């Protein structure tokens, strides 16, 4: 019984230490993406950046969603990597909806 309990605790500890910190960042680019070639250029260059796991481009919304391993890179490094192939990236901040009952500031 003790062996099983100790083994389970060791396995749980190993799993937690091996867990990766996967994060996502959404950016918009300048110049804007307007065709599939723009999308291919972005995906083709970003895939070589250390820690990048997945890249999704949405031409209609002008957004690039990048999933990355935070242990290997960070948002700033990903944004700077766009400069290498002629784009300027700006992070799109998530909009937080106002809570009910919260008054909006009025301009005078």
């Amino acid at each position: 019984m003790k062996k099983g309990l100790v083994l389970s605790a060791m396995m749980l500890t190993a799993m937690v230490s091996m867990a990766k910190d996967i994060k996502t960042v959404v950016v918009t680019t300048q110049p804007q993406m307007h065709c599939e070639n723009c999308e291919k250029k972005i995906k083709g260059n970003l895939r070589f950046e250390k820690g990048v796991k997945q890249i999704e481009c949405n031409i209609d919304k002008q957004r690039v969603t990048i999933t990355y391993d935070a242990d290997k890179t960070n948002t700033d490094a990903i944004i700077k990597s766009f400069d290498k192939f002629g784009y300027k990236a700006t992070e799109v901040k998530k909009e937080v909806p106002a809570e009910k009952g919260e008054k909006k500031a009025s301009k005078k």
Side-chain angles (χ1 to χ4, degrees), residues 11 18 29 40 45 52 59 61 64 73 78 81 84 88 90 99-100:
M11 288 178 61
M18 291 174 46
T29 62
K40 287 179 185 178
N45 284 286
V52 172
I59 296 172
K61 292 184 180 181
V64 180
T73 191
I78 291 172
S81 69
K84 295 176 187 177
K88 182 180 184 320
T90 306
E99 292 185 28
K100 291 182 180 179

Side-chain angles (χ1 to χ4, degrees), residues 25 68 73-83 91:
V25 63
Y68 64 95
T73 191
N74 59 44
T75 301
D76 292 335
I78 291 172
I79 289 173
K80 286 179 185 175
S81 69
F82 277 82
D83 293 338
E91 184 176 3

